[in-house]
Amino acid sequence: MRVTSDKPLRGKTALITGGARRLGRASALAMAEAGADVAITFLHSAREAQHTVIDLSSFGVRAVALRCDVTDEKSVKSAIKETGRELGGLDILLNNAANYETVEFDKLTVKQWDAMFASNTRGPFLVSREALKLLRERRGKIINMGSLGGLRPWADHAHYCSSKAAVHMLTKVMAKALAPAIAVNCVAPGMIDLGEKAAAGFMKRMAKQTPMRRNGTGEEIATAVMFFATAPHFITGQIMAVDGGLGL
Ligand SMILES: NC(=O)c1ccc[n+]([C@@H]2O[C@H](COP(=O)([O-])OP(=O)(O)OC[C@H]3O[C@@H](n4cnc5c(N)ncnc54)[C@H](OP(=O)(O)O)[C@@H]3O)[C@@H](O)[C@H]2O)c1
């Protein structure tokens, strides 16, 4: 008989990159609510990170915020070391930190292209590689944040879309390379409405084009992250679009 628990991550530890705000914060809160001790990283959002740590702690779990630039190898190494020290191990890594930018193809510079790949693709690779030792000790899990933009071409986002398509492939390669110790999966959000006033018109148009007739919420992305966080280890190498059918 399968017994379900209201704290399925009790006794587990999680690291969420870029977890101070928005979708990273939503996933961090879901994991803390499920009983996990949580480390979040931030780059510029120090104040938001402190608030998130307070909110995480309110679930009665251990929570810590670490500064980390995922484009910088030294910074990544020290954040992983600190995570091991603070949490005593690592069960779940959520590679969430990323950048998004709208640029017409003709105007896209090498600098913009390289910066996008440094954070969105090389970042998850670096953080995962450095976390391997800790994750192997716990038969852990890696969850990458991909994007519908990595599955469907968006004309003014060549660098972003390509960087996320690479994250989807990285997910599959790592799933094969790191098995049987570590399961690796990916959540690919579609249009997620985080309540930004500037995006309201765009969000309304996208909702009309979406089969589910609305955009997604941060909580729905966190639910998908929680699915992989609590899923059997036998589920690996999967890309789960959470997009209300927009990609169909
Ligand atoms: N929002 C959506 O609708 C949507 C749709 C599809 C996919 N996604 C993906 O889902 C994830 C979360 O989305 P989001 O909209 O919440 O992301 P976001 O706000 O654009 O970025 C998340 C965090 O990434 C951190 N970050 C950026 N560059 C970094 C670097 N070099 N080193 C370390 N941290 C860095 C930032 O931390 P600081 O604030 O501390 O600087 C930021 O708060 C991303 O991977 C995104 O691509 C989101």
Side-chain angles (χ1 to χ4, degrees), residues 17-25 41-46 48-49 67-72 75-76 95-100 115 118-120 123-124 144-149 154 160 163-164 187-194 196 203 216 221 242:
T17 64
R21 43 200 289 271
R22 294 164 59 90
L23 296 185
R25 173 184 149 89
T41 75
F42 63 94
L43 184 59
H44 302 298
S45 303
E48 289 93 335
R67 181 181 286 279
C68 176
D69 180 349
V70 300
T71 69
D72 179 54
S75 175
V76 169
N95 281 311
N96 168 82
N99 287 290
Y100 176 82
S119 61
N120 292 15
N144 292 323
M145 284 299 245
S147 174
L148 182 60
W154 299 340
Y160 172 80
S163 75
K164 288 295 187 177
V187 173
M191 294 302 147
I192 308 305
D193 193 345
L194 296 170
E196 282 165 283
M203 283 292 162
I221 299 305
V242 184

Short mmCIF file of all heavy atoms in Angstrom, two decimals, residues 17-25 41-46 48-49 67-72 75-76 95-100 115 118-120 123-124 144-149 154 160 163-164 187-194 196 203 216 221 242, ligand 1:
data_model
loop_
_atom_site.label_atom_id
_atom_site.label_comp_id
_atom_site.label_asym_id
_atom_site.label_seq_id
_atom_site.Cartn_x
_atom_site.Cartn_y
_atom_site.Cartn_z
N THR A 17 18.61 27.80 -7.10
CA THR A 17 19.34 28.98 -7.56
C THR A 17 18.34 30.05 -7.98
O THR A 17 17.29 29.75 -8.54
CB THR A 17 20.29 28.64 -8.74
OG1 THR A 17 19.50 28.21 -9.86
CG2 THR A 17 21.30 27.57 -8.35
N GLY A 18 18.68 31.30 -7.69
CA GLY A 18 17.76 32.40 -8.03
C GLY A 18 16.43 32.24 -7.30
O GLY A 18 15.37 32.51 -7.88
N GLY A 19 16.48 31.85 -6.03
CA GLY A 19 15.26 31.53 -5.28
C GLY A 19 14.68 32.67 -4.47
O GLY A 19 13.74 32.46 -3.71
N ALA A 20 15.21 33.87 -4.63
CA ALA A 20 14.75 34.99 -3.79
C ALA A 20 13.36 35.48 -4.17
O ALA A 20 12.60 35.94 -3.32
CB ALA A 20 15.75 36.15 -3.87
N ARG A 21 13.05 35.39 -5.49
CA ARG A 21 11.79 35.99 -5.94
C ARG A 21 11.14 35.16 -7.05
O ARG A 21 11.70 34.17 -7.50
CB ARG A 21 12.04 37.43 -6.41
CG ARG A 21 13.30 37.61 -7.24
CD ARG A 21 13.75 39.05 -7.26
NE ARG A 21 12.84 39.83 -8.04
CZ ARG A 21 12.96 40.04 -9.35
NH1 ARG A 21 14.00 39.56 -10.01
NH2 ARG A 21 12.07 40.72 -10.01
N ARG A 22 9.94 35.55 -7.41
CA ARG A 22 9.22 35.00 -8.56
C ARG A 22 9.13 33.45 -8.53
O ARG A 22 8.79 32.88 -7.51
CB ARG A 22 9.85 35.54 -9.84
CG ARG A 22 9.64 37.06 -9.98
CD ARG A 22 10.54 37.70 -11.01
NE ARG A 22 10.39 37.16 -12.34
CZ ARG A 22 9.54 37.61 -13.26
NH1 ARG A 22 8.77 38.64 -12.99
NH2 ARG A 22 9.46 37.05 -14.46
N LEU A 23 9.43 32.78 -9.64
CA LEU A 23 9.19 31.34 -9.71
C LEU A 23 10.10 30.54 -8.78
O LEU A 23 9.70 29.52 -8.22
CB LEU A 23 9.35 30.83 -11.14
CG LEU A 23 8.35 31.37 -12.17
CD1 LEU A 23 8.55 30.69 -13.51
CD2 LEU A 23 6.93 31.17 -11.69
N GLY A 24 11.33 31.01 -8.61
CA GLY A 24 12.27 30.31 -7.72
C GLY A 24 11.77 30.34 -6.29
O GLY A 24 11.82 29.34 -5.56
N ARG A 25 11.26 31.50 -5.89
CA ARG A 25 10.70 31.65 -4.54
C ARG A 25 9.48 30.72 -4.36
O ARG A 25 9.35 30.06 -3.33
CB ARG A 25 10.31 33.12 -4.30
CG ARG A 25 9.57 33.36 -3.02
CD ARG A 25 9.14 34.82 -2.91
NE ARG A 25 7.91 34.91 -2.15
CZ ARG A 25 7.85 35.05 -0.83
NH1 ARG A 25 8.96 35.14 -0.12
NH2 ARG A 25 6.69 35.11 -0.22
N THR A 41 19.80 30.72 -3.54
CA THR A 41 20.86 31.65 -3.91
C THR A 41 20.23 32.91 -4.50
O THR A 41 19.12 32.88 -5.01
CB THR A 41 21.87 31.07 -4.92
OG1 THR A 41 21.26 31.06 -6.23
CG2 THR A 41 22.34 29.68 -4.53
N PHE A 42 20.98 34.00 -4.39
CA PHE A 42 20.56 35.27 -4.99
C PHE A 42 21.79 35.91 -5.60
O PHE A 42 22.93 35.57 -5.24
CB PHE A 42 19.93 36.21 -3.94
CG PHE A 42 20.90 36.63 -2.86
CD1 PHE A 42 21.61 37.82 -2.97
CD2 PHE A 42 21.14 35.82 -1.76
CE1 PHE A 42 22.53 38.20 -1.99
CE2 PHE A 42 22.06 36.19 -0.77
CZ PHE A 42 22.74 37.39 -0.89
N LEU A 43 21.57 36.82 -6.54
CA LEU A 43 22.70 37.58 -7.09
C LEU A 43 22.55 39.05 -6.66
O LEU A 43 23.37 39.55 -5.89
CB LEU A 43 22.75 37.44 -8.61
CG LEU A 43 23.93 38.13 -9.30
CD1 LEU A 43 25.26 37.60 -8.78
CD2 LEU A 43 23.85 37.95 -10.82
N HIS A 44 21.49 39.72 -7.12
CA HIS A 44 21.26 41.13 -6.76
C HIS A 44 20.17 41.30 -5.71
O HIS A 44 20.12 42.34 -5.06
CB HIS A 44 20.89 41.93 -8.01
CG HIS A 44 21.94 41.86 -9.08
ND1 HIS A 44 23.22 42.33 -8.91
CD2 HIS A 44 21.90 41.36 -10.34
CE1 HIS A 44 23.92 42.13 -10.01
NE2 HIS A 44 23.15 41.54 -10.89
N SER A 45 19.29 40.31 -5.57
CA SER A 45 18.10 40.49 -4.72
C SER A 45 18.35 40.09 -3.28
O SER A 45 17.68 39.19 -2.73
CB SER A 45 16.94 39.70 -5.30
OG SER A 45 16.68 40.09 -6.62
N ALA A 46 19.29 40.76 -2.62
CA ALA A 46 19.65 40.40 -1.24
C ALA A 46 18.47 40.60 -0.29
O ALA A 46 18.21 39.75 0.57
CB ALA A 46 20.84 41.23 -0.79
N GLU A 48 15.17 40.73 -0.98
CA GLU A 48 14.11 39.74 -1.24
C GLU A 48 14.52 38.37 -0.70
O GLU A 48 13.69 37.62 -0.19
CB GLU A 48 13.84 39.64 -2.75
CG GLU A 48 13.14 40.83 -3.35
CD GLU A 48 14.11 41.86 -3.90
OE1 GLU A 48 15.27 41.91 -3.44
OE2 GLU A 48 13.70 42.64 -4.79
N ALA A 49 15.83 38.06 -0.81
CA ALA A 49 16.32 36.77 -0.32
C ALA A 49 16.11 36.66 1.20
O ALA A 49 15.68 35.60 1.69
CB ALA A 49 17.80 36.59 -0.67
N ARG A 67 24.83 34.16 -1.51
CA ARG A 67 25.06 34.89 -2.76
C ARG A 67 25.80 33.98 -3.73
O ARG A 67 26.77 33.31 -3.33
CB ARG A 67 25.88 36.16 -2.50
CG ARG A 67 26.12 36.97 -3.77
CD ARG A 67 26.97 38.19 -3.48
NE ARG A 67 26.24 39.22 -2.78
CZ ARG A 67 25.42 40.09 -3.36
NH1 ARG A 67 25.21 40.02 -4.66
NH2 ARG A 67 24.79 41.00 -2.66
N CYS A 68 25.35 33.94 -4.97
CA CYS A 68 26.03 33.11 -5.98
C CYS A 68 25.79 33.67 -7.37
O CYS A 68 24.65 33.96 -7.74
CB CYS A 68 25.52 31.67 -5.91
SG CYS A 68 26.22 30.60 -7.19
N ASP A 69 26.86 33.82 -8.13
CA ASP A 69 26.76 34.17 -9.55
C ASP A 69 26.99 32.88 -10.33
O ASP A 69 28.12 32.34 -10.32
CB ASP A 69 27.82 35.22 -9.91
CG ASP A 69 27.75 35.62 -11.38
OD1 ASP A 69 27.04 34.94 -12.16
OD2 ASP A 69 28.42 36.60 -11.75
N VAL A 70 25.96 32.36 -10.97
CA VAL A 70 26.08 31.06 -11.64
C VAL A 70 26.99 31.10 -12.87
O VAL A 70 27.32 30.06 -13.43
CB VAL A 70 24.71 30.44 -12.00
CG1 VAL A 70 23.86 30.22 -10.77
CG2 VAL A 70 23.98 31.25 -13.05
N THR A 71 27.38 32.30 -13.28
CA THR A 71 28.30 32.40 -14.42
C THR A 71 29.76 32.32 -13.97
O THR A 71 30.66 32.27 -14.79
CB THR A 71 28.13 33.73 -15.21
OG1 THR A 71 28.57 34.81 -14.40
CG2 THR A 71 26.68 33.95 -15.61
N ASP A 72 29.97 32.32 -12.65
CA ASP A 72 31.32 32.39 -12.10
C ASP A 72 31.66 31.09 -11.36
O ASP A 72 31.05 30.76 -10.34
CB ASP A 72 31.41 33.59 -11.16
CG ASP A 72 32.79 33.72 -10.54
OD1 ASP A 72 33.77 33.75 -11.28
OD2 ASP A 72 32.86 33.74 -9.30
N SER A 75 32.47 31.30 -7.62
CA SER A 75 31.28 31.62 -6.84
C SER A 75 30.39 30.38 -6.68
O SER A 75 29.85 30.12 -5.60
CB SER A 75 30.52 32.75 -7.55
OG SER A 75 29.31 33.03 -6.92
N VAL A 76 30.26 29.60 -7.75
CA VAL A 76 29.44 28.38 -7.70
C VAL A 76 30.07 27.37 -6.74
O VAL A 76 29.37 26.80 -5.89
CB VAL A 76 29.31 27.76 -9.12
CG1 VAL A 76 28.70 26.36 -9.06
CG2 VAL A 76 28.47 28.67 -10.01
N ASN A 95 17.86 24.08 -10.65
CA ASN A 95 18.57 25.09 -11.45
C ASN A 95 17.53 26.04 -12.04
O ASN A 95 16.98 25.79 -13.12
CB ASN A 95 19.36 24.40 -12.57
CG ASN A 95 20.65 23.81 -12.08
OD1 ASN A 95 21.43 24.47 -11.39
ND2 ASN A 95 20.89 22.55 -12.40
N ASN A 96 17.28 27.11 -11.31
CA ASN A 96 16.19 28.04 -11.68
C ASN A 96 16.72 29.37 -12.22
O ASN A 96 16.10 29.99 -13.07
CB ASN A 96 15.32 28.26 -10.44
CG ASN A 96 14.36 29.40 -10.60
OD1 ASN A 96 13.29 29.26 -11.17
ND2 ASN A 96 14.74 30.59 -10.11
N ALA A 97 17.87 29.81 -11.72
CA ALA A 97 18.41 31.14 -12.09
C ALA A 97 18.61 31.23 -13.59
O ALA A 97 19.12 30.30 -14.23
CB ALA A 97 19.74 31.39 -11.38
N ALA A 98 18.17 32.34 -14.16
CA ALA A 98 18.31 32.54 -15.61
C ALA A 98 18.03 33.98 -15.96
O ALA A 98 17.61 34.77 -15.10
CB ALA A 98 17.34 31.62 -16.36
N ASN A 99 18.25 34.32 -17.21
CA ASN A 99 17.91 35.66 -17.72
C ASN A 99 17.02 35.52 -18.94
O ASN A 99 17.02 34.49 -19.63
CB ASN A 99 19.17 36.43 -18.04
CG ASN A 99 19.88 36.87 -16.78
OD1 ASN A 99 19.40 37.74 -16.06
ND2 ASN A 99 20.99 36.24 -16.47
N TYR A 100 16.28 36.59 -19.20
CA TYR A 100 15.32 36.64 -20.31
C TYR A 100 15.46 38.01 -20.94
O TYR A 100 15.60 39.00 -20.22
CB TYR A 100 13.91 36.44 -19.75
CG TYR A 100 12.80 36.55 -20.76
CD1 TYR A 100 12.47 35.48 -21.58
CD2 TYR A 100 12.07 37.73 -20.88
CE1 TYR A 100 11.43 35.59 -22.51
CE2 TYR A 100 11.03 37.83 -21.80
CZ TYR A 100 10.72 36.76 -22.60
OH TYR A 100 9.70 36.85 -23.50
N ALA A 115 26.26 36.23 -22.95
CA ALA A 115 25.77 36.45 -21.57
C ALA A 115 24.58 35.53 -21.29
O ALA A 115 24.46 34.95 -20.20
CB ALA A 115 25.38 37.90 -21.38
N ALA A 118 25.83 32.05 -20.82
CA ALA A 118 26.64 31.92 -19.59
C ALA A 118 25.73 31.69 -18.38
O ALA A 118 26.02 30.85 -17.53
CB ALA A 118 27.50 33.16 -19.39
N SER A 119 24.62 32.43 -18.31
CA SER A 119 23.73 32.24 -17.15
C SER A 119 22.76 31.08 -17.35
O SER A 119 22.59 30.24 -16.47
CB SER A 119 22.94 33.53 -16.86
OG SER A 119 22.13 33.89 -17.96
N ASN A 120 22.15 30.99 -18.52
CA ASN A 120 21.04 30.04 -18.71
C ASN A 120 21.48 28.61 -18.98
O ASN A 120 20.75 27.68 -18.64
CB ASN A 120 20.14 30.50 -19.86
CG ASN A 120 19.38 31.77 -19.53
OD1 ASN A 120 19.71 32.47 -18.57
ND2 ASN A 120 18.39 32.10 -20.32
N GLY A 123 25.41 28.00 -16.59
CA GLY A 123 25.09 28.06 -15.16
C GLY A 123 24.59 26.73 -14.63
O GLY A 123 25.19 26.15 -13.72
N PRO A 124 23.48 26.20 -15.19
CA PRO A 124 22.98 24.90 -14.73
C PRO A 124 24.02 23.77 -14.83
O PRO A 124 24.10 22.90 -13.97
CB PRO A 124 21.79 24.63 -15.65
CG PRO A 124 21.33 25.98 -16.04
CD PRO A 124 22.55 26.84 -16.13
N ASN A 144 15.88 21.00 -13.70
CA ASN A 144 16.25 22.21 -14.45
C ASN A 144 14.99 22.97 -14.83
O ASN A 144 13.96 22.37 -15.13
CB ASN A 144 17.01 21.84 -15.73
CG ASN A 144 18.38 21.25 -15.43
OD1 ASN A 144 19.05 21.68 -14.49
ND2 ASN A 144 18.79 20.27 -16.21
N MET A 145 15.10 24.30 -14.84
CA MET A 145 14.00 25.11 -15.36
C MET A 145 14.29 25.38 -16.82
O MET A 145 15.25 26.08 -17.16
CB MET A 145 13.88 26.43 -14.61
CG MET A 145 13.26 26.27 -13.25
SD MET A 145 11.58 25.61 -13.35
CE MET A 145 10.69 26.99 -12.74
N GLY A 146 13.49 24.79 -17.67
CA GLY A 146 13.60 25.04 -19.10
C GLY A 146 12.61 26.12 -19.48
O GLY A 146 12.37 27.05 -18.71
N SER A 147 12.02 26.00 -20.66
CA SER A 147 11.04 27.01 -21.09
C SER A 147 10.31 26.50 -22.33
O SER A 147 10.88 25.77 -23.15
CB SER A 147 11.76 28.31 -21.43
OG SER A 147 10.85 29.25 -21.97
N LEU A 148 9.07 26.95 -22.46
CA LEU A 148 8.36 26.70 -23.72
C LEU A 148 9.17 27.30 -24.87
O LEU A 148 9.16 26.78 -25.98
CB LEU A 148 6.96 27.33 -23.67
CG LEU A 148 6.07 27.12 -24.89
CD1 LEU A 148 5.82 25.64 -25.16
CD2 LEU A 148 4.77 27.89 -24.75
N GLY A 149 9.92 28.37 -24.57
CA GLY A 149 10.80 29.00 -25.56
C GLY A 149 11.95 28.09 -25.99
O GLY A 149 12.62 28.37 -26.99
N TRP A 154 10.68 31.57 -30.71
CA TRP A 154 10.15 32.92 -30.55
C TRP A 154 11.11 33.86 -31.27
O TRP A 154 12.29 33.97 -30.90
CB TRP A 154 10.03 33.29 -29.06
CG TRP A 154 9.11 32.41 -28.26
CD1 TRP A 154 8.12 31.60 -28.73
CD2 TRP A 154 9.11 32.24 -26.82
NE1 TRP A 154 7.48 30.95 -27.68
CE2 TRP A 154 8.07 31.32 -26.51
CE3 TRP A 154 9.87 32.76 -25.77
CZ2 TRP A 154 7.78 30.91 -25.21
CZ3 TRP A 154 9.58 32.37 -24.47
CH2 TRP A 154 8.54 31.46 -24.19
N TYR A 160 17.76 33.48 -26.04
CA TYR A 160 17.04 32.87 -24.91
C TYR A 160 16.52 31.48 -25.31
O TYR A 160 16.76 30.50 -24.60
CB TYR A 160 15.88 33.78 -24.46
CG TYR A 160 14.98 33.13 -23.45
CD1 TYR A 160 15.35 33.07 -22.10
CD2 TYR A 160 13.77 32.53 -23.82
CE1 TYR A 160 14.53 32.45 -21.16
CE2 TYR A 160 12.94 31.92 -22.89
CZ TYR A 160 13.33 31.87 -21.57
OH TYR A 160 12.52 31.25 -20.64
N SER A 163 19.30 29.00 -25.68
CA SER A 163 19.90 28.65 -24.37
C SER A 163 19.01 27.66 -23.62
O SER A 163 19.50 26.76 -22.94
CB SER A 163 20.14 29.90 -23.52
OG SER A 163 18.92 30.40 -22.97
N LYS A 164 17.69 27.80 -23.76
CA LYS A 164 16.77 26.90 -23.05
C LYS A 164 16.66 25.55 -23.78
O LYS A 164 16.50 24.52 -23.13
CB LYS A 164 15.40 27.56 -22.89
CG LYS A 164 15.40 28.70 -21.87
CD LYS A 164 15.69 28.18 -20.46
CE LYS A 164 15.54 29.25 -19.40
NZ LYS A 164 15.75 28.73 -18.03
N VAL A 187 11.38 21.21 -15.91
CA VAL A 187 10.07 21.83 -16.02
C VAL A 187 10.19 22.98 -17.03
O VAL A 187 11.08 23.82 -16.89
CB VAL A 187 9.60 22.38 -14.65
CG1 VAL A 187 8.31 23.18 -14.80
CG2 VAL A 187 9.42 21.25 -13.65
N ALA A 188 9.33 22.99 -18.02
CA ALA A 188 9.38 24.02 -19.06
C ALA A 188 8.11 24.89 -18.99
O ALA A 188 7.08 24.53 -19.58
CB ALA A 188 9.52 23.37 -20.44
N PRO A 189 8.19 26.01 -18.26
CA PRO A 189 6.99 26.85 -18.14
C PRO A 189 6.64 27.55 -19.45
O PRO A 189 7.52 27.91 -20.24
CB PRO A 189 7.40 27.91 -17.09
CG PRO A 189 8.65 27.38 -16.43
CD PRO A 189 9.33 26.54 -17.48
N GLY A 190 5.35 27.76 -19.64
CA GLY A 190 4.86 28.57 -20.75
C GLY A 190 4.70 30.00 -20.28
O GLY A 190 5.59 30.56 -19.64
N MET A 191 3.54 30.61 -20.57
CA MET A 191 3.29 31.99 -20.12
C MET A 191 2.80 31.98 -18.68
O MET A 191 1.71 31.45 -18.40
CB MET A 191 2.24 32.66 -21.01
CG MET A 191 2.70 32.87 -22.42
SD MET A 191 4.20 33.86 -22.48
CE MET A 191 5.00 33.12 -23.89
N ILE A 192 3.60 32.55 -17.81
CA ILE A 192 3.26 32.57 -16.39
C ILE A 192 2.99 34.01 -15.98
O ILE A 192 3.85 34.89 -16.19
CB ILE A 192 4.41 31.96 -15.54
CG1 ILE A 192 4.81 30.58 -16.08
CG2 ILE A 192 3.98 31.89 -14.06
CD1 ILE A 192 3.70 29.56 -16.20
N ASP A 193 1.83 34.25 -15.42
CA ASP A 193 1.45 35.61 -15.04
C ASP A 193 1.86 35.87 -13.60
O ASP A 193 1.29 35.29 -12.66
CB ASP A 193 -0.07 35.78 -15.20
CG ASP A 193 -0.48 37.25 -15.13
OD1 ASP A 193 0.35 38.07 -14.67
OD2 ASP A 193 -1.60 37.56 -15.54
N LEU A 194 2.88 36.72 -13.44
CA LEU A 194 3.36 37.03 -12.09
C LEU A 194 2.88 38.42 -11.66
O LEU A 194 3.46 39.04 -10.76
CB LEU A 194 4.89 36.90 -12.04
CG LEU A 194 5.40 35.47 -12.29
CD1 LEU A 194 6.90 35.42 -12.48
CD2 LEU A 194 4.98 34.54 -11.15
N GLU A 196 2.82 41.33 -13.23
CA GLU A 196 3.52 42.58 -13.63
C GLU A 196 2.57 43.46 -14.44
O GLU A 196 2.03 43.00 -15.46
CB GLU A 196 4.73 42.24 -14.49
CG GLU A 196 5.91 41.75 -13.72
CD GLU A 196 6.92 41.10 -14.67
OE1 GLU A 196 6.67 39.97 -15.08
OE2 GLU A 196 7.91 41.75 -15.00
N MET A 203 -0.05 39.58 -21.61
CA MET A 203 -0.60 38.41 -20.91
C MET A 203 -2.05 38.13 -21.40
O MET A 203 -2.43 36.98 -21.58
CB MET A 203 -0.59 38.63 -19.39
CG MET A 203 0.78 38.45 -18.79
SD MET A 203 1.28 36.72 -18.88
CE MET A 203 3.03 36.86 -18.64
N GLY A 216 -0.42 30.75 -16.78
CA GLY A 216 -0.16 29.94 -15.59
C GLY A 216 0.18 30.79 -14.38
O GLY A 216 0.34 32.02 -14.47
N ILE A 221 3.73 26.19 -11.42
CA ILE A 221 5.11 25.78 -11.75
C ILE A 221 5.72 25.06 -10.54
O ILE A 221 6.37 24.02 -10.69
CB ILE A 221 5.96 27.01 -12.15
CG1 ILE A 221 5.36 27.68 -13.40
CG2 ILE A 221 7.41 26.61 -12.40
CD1 ILE A 221 5.15 26.78 -14.60
N VAL A 242 4.63 23.09 -18.90
CA VAL A 242 3.50 23.52 -18.04
C VAL A 242 3.01 24.81 -18.67
O VAL A 242 3.47 25.91 -18.33
CB VAL A 242 3.96 23.71 -16.59
CG1 VAL A 242 2.77 24.06 -15.69
CG2 VAL A 242 4.66 22.46 -16.07
N1 LIG B 1 8.44 33.68 -15.74
C1 LIG B 1 8.06 32.96 -16.79
O1 LIG B 1 6.99 33.20 -17.36
C2 LIG B 1 8.95 31.87 -17.34
C3 LIG B 1 8.60 31.24 -18.55
C4 LIG B 1 9.41 30.24 -19.03
C5 LIG B 1 10.54 29.85 -18.34
N2 LIG B 1 10.86 30.47 -17.17
C6 LIG B 1 12.09 30.03 -16.48
O2 LIG B 1 11.80 29.77 -15.11
C7 LIG B 1 12.87 30.21 -14.28
C8 LIG B 1 12.38 31.26 -13.31
O3 LIG B 1 11.69 32.28 -13.99
P1 LIG B 1 11.58 33.76 -13.40
O4 LIG B 1 10.76 34.53 -14.36
O5 LIG B 1 11.17 33.67 -11.99
O6 LIG B 1 13.11 34.16 -13.53
P2 LIG B 1 13.83 35.59 -13.38
O7 LIG B 1 13.08 36.41 -12.41
O8 LIG B 1 14.06 36.14 -14.74
O9 LIG B 1 15.23 35.13 -12.80
C9 LIG B 1 15.32 34.34 -11.63
C10 LIG B 1 16.53 34.72 -10.87
O10 LIG B 1 17.72 34.38 -11.57
C11 LIG B 1 18.76 35.05 -10.91
N3 LIG B 1 19.93 35.22 -11.78
C12 LIG B 1 20.01 35.82 -12.99
N4 LIG B 1 21.30 35.80 -13.44
C13 LIG B 1 22.02 35.17 -12.48
C14 LIG B 1 23.39 34.82 -12.35
N5 LIG B 1 24.29 35.13 -13.28
N6 LIG B 1 23.78 34.18 -11.22
C15 LIG B 1 22.87 33.87 -10.27
N7 LIG B 1 21.58 34.17 -10.33
C16 LIG B 1 21.15 34.80 -11.43
C17 LIG B 1 18.20 36.39 -10.45
O11 LIG B 1 18.61 36.56 -9.09
P3 LIG B 1 18.69 38.03 -8.37
O12 LIG B 1 17.30 38.59 -8.50
O13 LIG B 1 19.09 37.71 -6.99
O14 LIG B 1 19.71 38.83 -9.12
C18 LIG B 1 16.69 36.20 -10.60
O15 LIG B 1 15.96 36.58 -9.47
C19 LIG B 1 13.94 30.74 -15.24
O16 LIG B 1 14.84 29.70 -15.53
C20 LIG B 1 13.14 31.11 -16.47
O17 LIG B 1 13.90 31.11 -17.65
C21 LIG B 1 10.09 31.48 -16.67
#
